Amino acid sequence: MKGRDGHLKAKVKEYWDRNVSNWKIAQSPVGSEPFFREVEQYRFSKLSYLAKRVDFSAYPEKRILDVGCGLGNDLSRFVSGGSEGVGIDISQTAIMLSRKNFQFRELSAEFVQMDGEEMAFQDNSFDVVYCHTVLHFTPHPDALVQEIHRVLKPGGLAIIMTINRHSWLYALHRLANLKIDYMDSPVFNKYTYAEFERMLSPFDHLDIIVERFPVKTEVHSGIKAKIYNTLFVDLYNALPNKIVGKTGYHLLAFAHKRSKK
């Protein structure tokens, strides 16, 4: 954590050491095999678009880097599809749990505690770099993007997600004080579509998808949750794309690095 905002980075690390395993939906003890299965089921049910947009089995024998690997569930899908996986996270707890998760699954990957803004990898090291639910939690997102571009091989693919500031969920948060997961973290950035596009300017070709992401909450309760589940979610999902426009909560980019001539 040398260089950029060492104190803030320490706070970010401390926060995720405490919260990387804080999944209220999980009923099993943290670190147990059922715990990882419960979290994975919930994550991919909540993020129903993810398995549709990302073909985790499409990169056999390719070297995949998961930046901010968390519990390792997403990386396990790449590795199960034949990829060579490397996972990094600023949280040592995340690295410990990812290793345990892979042991249960009888999968092999390299896990290293590392700051994504200052990676120790050589240039052009990976065929694919995957970074989901991370960019908005890092103090210097531009630095993270630059590092992802640097370690990606020419012709490689970066899959990067962030939070849309001009979204329905953020609007509900401001209007009705709707709780958003991990908004209490030391860093929680939000970006417009245009800002995200500019941030990804080092890449040669971009395909940015705005994901609606309105799913019924399973972890909140009370009148707000009831109104949200019974009225808003179904209504918003029923709206045509020409009305919804770019108000989805997640921005998911497929960014390509220029091949060498």
Side-chain angles (χ1 to χ4, degrees), residues 41-56 74 77 130-134 136 159-164 168-169 196 207-215 237 248-254:
Q41 192 282 326
Y42 174 70
R43 174 172 170 79
F44 279 86
S45 174
K46 185 177 182 181
L47 303 179
S48 58
Y49 71 83
L50 194 51
K52 299 174 184 176
R53 298 294 188 186
V54 180
D55 187 352
F56 291 96
D74 291 19
R77 298 202 170 198
Y130 178 80
C131 183
H132 194 284
T133 327
V134 176
H136 45 287
I159 304 170
I160 306 174
M161 167 265 169
T162 196
I163 296 297
N164 182 10
W168 62 270
L169 184 56
F196 189 40
D207 181 14
I208 300 177
I209 300 168
V210 183
E211 290 293 347
R212 296 189 183 204
F213 187 57
V215 292
N237 279 329
Y249 186 52
H250 283 186
L251 301 174
L252 181 67
F254 294 83

Side-chain angles (χ1 to χ4, degrees), residues 223-257:
I223 187 63
K224 287 183 181 179
K226 187 174 182 180
I227 293 172
Y228 170 77
N229 283 342
T230 58
L231 294 180
F232 177 76
V233 171
D234 291 339
L235 176 62
Y236 185 82
N237 279 329
L239 294 173
N241 286 332
K242 64 181 180 180
I243 294 177
V244 172
K246 294 180 180 179
T247 64
Y249 186 52
H250 283 186
L251 301 174
L252 181 67
F254 294 83
H256 298 264
K257 185 174 180 177

